[in-house]
Each structure stands twice: as structure tokens, then as C-alpha cells.
Amino acid sequence: NPTESAVAVETLDDVPEHVLRGLPEDVRLFPSAVDKTRLGVWATKSILKGKKFGPFVGDKKKRSQV
């Protein structure tokens, strides 16, 4: 339908390089299960409860902002 606006889909090209480099070994970015136009964070294997990884790089957001 030509009257509908095109929906931009987020891709890996939109992700800053430092974010990709900072991902833990068993975490990947793939299309979100919640919003198909966005990327989501997916684990390639189970992550044990309490597992920590970092350092965090970026802006922290409140739960209500995500």
C-alpha cells in the first residue's frame, strides 16, 4: 500500500562497533521476538543465575524507558 510509511528495521549495521565487541561470547544480537523491527539480545546457551559480565558501556535506562 503506497500510503503506508516504510518501517525502518534495525540491523547490525546500526549497532556501534564497541557494543558488538563488548558482547559476551554466548550472547548474540538477532531480530527481537517482541518487536520485529528491532534487534534483541539472545543467549546461545543457558546463562547461570548470578553470572556477571561487563563492563557496561552506554547509557543506563530505567525499566520504564525500555
Side-chain angles (χ1 to χ4, degrees):
N1 187 343
T3 60
E4 291 180 26
S5 61
V7 176
V9 176
E10 188 175 36
T11 68
L12 289 176
D13 291 335
D14 300 317
V15 179
E17 184 62 32
H18 73 275
V19 171
L20 296 175
R21 283 193 315 266
L23 287 175
E25 183 178 320
D26 298 318
V27 174
R28 301 286 182 266
L29 298 178
F30 293 119
S32 170
V34 177
D35 180 349
K36 297 297 183 195
T37 66
R38 304 291 309 269
L39 293 174
V41 179
W42 295 82
T44 58
K45 68 178 190 178
S46 294
I47 298 174
L48 297 174
K49 183 177 180 178
K51 176 76 173 175
K52 294 182 181 186
F53 49 89
F56 175 78
V57 178
D59 298 323
K60 291 187 179 184
K61 303 287 183 184
K62 294 180 182 177
R63 187 176 293 267
S64 62
Q65 295 175 296
V66 295

